[in-house]
């Protein structure tokens, strides 16, 4: 559904963000996804894994986001939502 599409869109933009650019902000994420700022905020608040990914993009002390780790989280998230 639309929730999965929006989730995937936000997640992809976080993964693909060029860290050589300025710090990732909700406004940058809004422009990159064409979603509203309130939608971005809702997804970051309602999906802890997205919020963690958002913060890890901006925290140079954390290791880069692993696509494998994200796929594992995504699969577990959809398994939880389907039960």
């Amino acid at each position: 559904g639309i929730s999965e599409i929006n989730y995937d869109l936000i997640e992809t933009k976080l993964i693909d963000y060029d860290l050589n650019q300025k710090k990732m902000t909700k406004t940058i994420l809004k422009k990159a996804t064409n979603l509203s700022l309130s939608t971005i905020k809702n997804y970051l608040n309602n999906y802890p894994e997205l919020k963690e990914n958002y913060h890890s993009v901006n925290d140079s002390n954390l290791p880069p986001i692993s696509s494998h780790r994200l796929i594992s989280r995504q699969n577990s998230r959809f398994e939880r939502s389907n039960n």
Side-chain angles (χ1 to χ4, degrees):
I2 193 73
S3 293
E4 291 175 16
I5 292 169
N6 287 344
Y7 181 99
D8 290 342
L9 182 60
I10 294 168
E11 182 179 64
T12 300
K13 294 301 178 182
L14 289 171
I15 292 168
D16 292 343
Y17 190 69
D18 181 359
L19 296 176
N20 294 320
Q21 298 180 45
K22 56 187 167 186
K23 179 179 174 181
M24 169 60 82
T25 65
K26 292 178 183 107
T27 302
I28 290 172
L29 199 50
K30 169 190 172 285
K31 290 176 183 174
T33 59
N34 290 320
L35 297 172
S36 72
L37 195 54
S38 62
T39 298
I40 297 295
K41 289 177 181 178
N42 285 337
Y43 275 80
L44 293 178
N45 287 330
N46 293 329
Y47 295 97
E49 61 275 14
L50 275 184
K51 188 175 203 171
E52 180 183 335
N53 292 339
Y54 173 78
H55 289 295
S56 71
V57 166
N58 292 320
D59 189 345
S60 60
N61 296 326
L62 294 177
I65 300 170
S66 157
S67 296
H68 177 27
R69 195 171 103 206
L70 288 173
I71 290 167
S72 298
R73 285 187 183 165
Q74 183 177 16
N75 289 342
S76 66
R77 176 177 53 86
F78 288 119
E79 287 169 9
R80 284 194 313 265
S81 67
N82 290 330
N83 289 336

